[in-house]
Amino acid sequence: MKYIAITLLFTLFSSCTGAAQKKEVAKKSFPITKTETQWKQELTAVQYHVMREAGTERPFSSPLNDNFEEGVYVCAACNHPLFKSEHKFDSGTGWPSFDRPIEGNVAFGTDYKLGYARNEEHCANCGGHLGHYFNDGPKETTGERHCINGVALKFVPAN
């Protein structure tokens, strides 16, 4: 009886990480393509981990989280404009958050790293992983929260 219970538990837990969840989102092609060696040479170790391996920086570690100056946030890898400062808000999550991207400059996909589907965001120009999109943002604007890793961004102040 003990053997049957253990077998059932093993089957249940292994089915939670089945093929549907392991299936990778089809690789999109982006205008800027480089080899992994080139990306490693151009990005810091943390930027490479976040932007090329879909990692996450520690919350509250980015100085951009507390930046509310006027300007534009661009991709740290290719300088493509991604978010306007007027759409930034303090979500309290520890990552820079925006209620919308610059239209057409962010690409969306799905990741299953945590065992369930999440809306992943990439730079539409180079494919760098930025963060994730959620529907729990400010209701008075778009209701969206684009939760972005600060190391994936550079801030360009307004003139």
Side-chain angles (χ1 to χ4, degrees):
M1 190 67 169
K2 190 179 203 181
Y3 176 73
I4 293 171
I6 291 171
T7 303
L8 286 173
L9 283 173
F10 176 77
T11 304
L12 175 66
F13 286 116
S14 64
S15 68
C16 290
T17 58
Q21 292 175 341
K22 290 181 182 177
K23 188 188 314 180
E24 284 190 38
V25 177
K27 296 280 183 185
K28 296 179 183 178
S29 62
F30 297 95
I32 293 179
T33 57
K34 298 180 182 183
T35 67
E36 293 309 306
T37 301
Q38 289 172 312
W39 285 123
K40 283 182 181 180
Q41 290 172 346
E42 294 180 20
L43 302 171
T44 67
V46 174
Q47 286 175 321
Y48 182 83
H49 173 65
V50 168
M51 299 185 79
R52 307 312 305 172
E53 299 176 325
T56 303
E57 70 184 353
R58 287 182 302 108
F60 301 101
S61 65
S62 173
L64 293 180
N65 190 46
D66 298 322
N67 179 43
F68 288 94
E69 294 178 40
E70 189 177 332
V72 176
Y73 293 84
V74 302
C75 176
C78 72
N79 296 312
H80 193 61
L82 301 170
F83 301 95
K84 294 179 181 177
S85 61
E86 65 208 55
H87 300 134
K88 187 172 188 290
F89 67 97
D90 183 1
S91 66
T93 61
W95 292 280
S97 297
F98 304 86
D99 69 3
R100 71 196 80 166
I102 295 174
E103 192 168 337
N105 291 7
V106 172
F108 298 91
T110 306
D111 85 49
Y112 297 93
K113 286 176 106 175
L114 298 180
Y116 59 92
R118 292 188 301 166
N119 298 310
E120 186 176 24
E121 299 189 49
H122 298 270
C123 171
N125 196 41
C126 71
H129 171 79
L130 303 171
H132 292 87
Y133 158 81
F134 303 94
N135 288 316
D136 60 1
K139 299 296 180 214
E140 60 275 2
T141 60
T142 62
E144 300 173 6
R145 175 171 56 97
H146 299 264
C147 193
I148 308 300
N149 289 285
V151 297
L153 300 172
K154 285 193 266 185
F155 179 70
V156 178
N159 294 340

